[in-house]
Amino acid sequence: MASWAALSPSIVEYFESEDFYRCGYCKNESGSRSNGMWAHSMTVQDYQDLIDRGWRRSGKYVYKPVMNQTCCPQYTIRCRPLQFQPSKSHKKVLKKMLKFLAKGEISKGNCEDEPMEPTVEDAVSSDFGLINKLDIHCDLKTFNDDLKKSLESEERKKAKREESNEITRSQDMEEKLGSGEPSCSVKVHTAPQPGRGADLSKPPCRKAKEIRKERKRLKLMQQDPAGEREGFQAQCQPSSLLPPKTKSNQPKSLEDLIFESLPENASHKLEVRLVPVSFEDPEFKSSFSQSFSLYVKYQMAIHQDPPDECGKTEFTRFLCSSPLETENSPNGPDCGYGSFHQQYWLDGKIIAVGVIDILPFCVSSVYLYYDPDYSFLSLGVYSALREIAFTRQLHEKTPQLSYYYMGFYIHSCPKMKYKLQGLFQFSSLQSLSCV
């Protein structure tokens, strides 16, 4: 392992792109174009500087798309883990994993939480959210014209929905609720029709919450006309007259949700191991065969790759060969800098592997492959949440390490849509790619 003071320089062979070639995303035979170089060896700082400028590695090949010429523009995105707050959908994924580990429960309707080909409506709404959440430092003209049209269409639909929601029908709820004056005043709202004033001959429109309260009041009056009424009257009092409520539950952090304690008789055991990408490492070497078998199963099931395209040579070149020199720094993380496999072991069996690079300022997600039999656990989103938590853990020892790079986003690739529906709900996302 190289020390921080004695590092060899990066050695690369640069290849300038002259011709178009086959795109691995849209399968266009002559649509992709990028500049690249073969990295025989590379320092982690040099690679950090490159990915900050839109470069990316695949094995030892480091490349940058020509954004204004390639068929599928590829946008480098990153997340600020320190500002990250899990959303409801993230919490749902984490709770689903905890229930499975604790009791072996499999949630209903859980087959595809990360659809590879979402519906058009989902894609449009996700694209609209993308522009609002991403800080895109590039010319938006590089996005497809279809994206722009879908955003405009979504805005028009949203405006119509808001307009229709403002027009409510008046209802005479007194006939449904029965006779009797309410024991406390209920705030009512009128709903004027567009183009004219409110129709005063009709009773005012009321909110559903107030209607439910009225129903509950009448039900309590029938059960106990004297005692229960007092309890309901307390609900109708202004909040200023009620004693202040103490905050009993603070929002749980990402770490609290991930590492929530399990019962002693838990149905399953999940362990995450960080293994250096090196055949000299005994743990990496001993788990290589199982990891490779999982990769083949994933590629054939999820990407429909034929067996001859996901052999051991392809696997090694793609995910086990890294140009990054493993480096240790006095102020760096305990595991050092370099390339790693984050293995997810369930009951002694590998069910997922996240390939990551630990760099001076970030954790960079390279690839994830998992057992399709466990798709119901939303392992794509779950592993991303674990990697964000891992970045925060490294930040405690290495303060400058404060970003999580999520790889490329490609709008024209249907297999990337899950990032819009799940991962792009992360707060504080940025796009770093330029033309």
Side-chain angles (χ1 to χ4, degrees), residues 137-201:
H137 304 294
C138 59
D139 187 359
L140 288 179
K141 291 182 180 180
T142 55
F143 276 109
N144 294 341
D145 292 338
D146 292 342
L147 173 58
K148 297 179 182 179
K149 294 178 181 178
S150 65
L151 295 178
E152 294 173 357
S153 175
E154 178 64 19
E155 287 179 333
R156 289 194 297 268
K157 291 180 180 179
K158 186 177 180 181
K160 290 182 179 179
R161 286 196 298 266
E162 291 177 351
E163 181 180 353
S164 62
N165 289 336
E166 293 176 356
I167 305 173
T168 58
R169 291 178 295 182
S170 299
Q171 299 179 359
D172 188 0
M173 297 302 300
E174 295 297 331
E175 296 180 358
K176 296 181 180 180
L177 298 176
S179 60
E181 294 297 330
S183 59
C184 59
S185 60
V186 180
K187 190 176 181 180
V188 297
H189 302 269
T190 59
Q193 297 181 4
R196 63 177 184 176
D199 189 352
L200 301 178
S201 64

Side-chain angles (χ1 to χ4, degrees), residues 269-287:
K269 179 182 178 181
L270 179 67
E271 180 184 3
V272 181
R273 304 177 186 174
L274 186 68
V275 181
V277 178
S278 171
F279 285 98
E280 297 179 359
D281 183 85
E283 194 169 0
F284 178 83
K285 191 174 181 179
S286 63
S287 61

Side-chain angles (χ1 to χ4, degrees), residues 259-270:
F259 302 110
E260 185 173 327
S261 60
L262 296 173
E264 294 182 359
N265 59 343
S267 299
H268 302 284
K269 179 182 178 181
L270 179 67

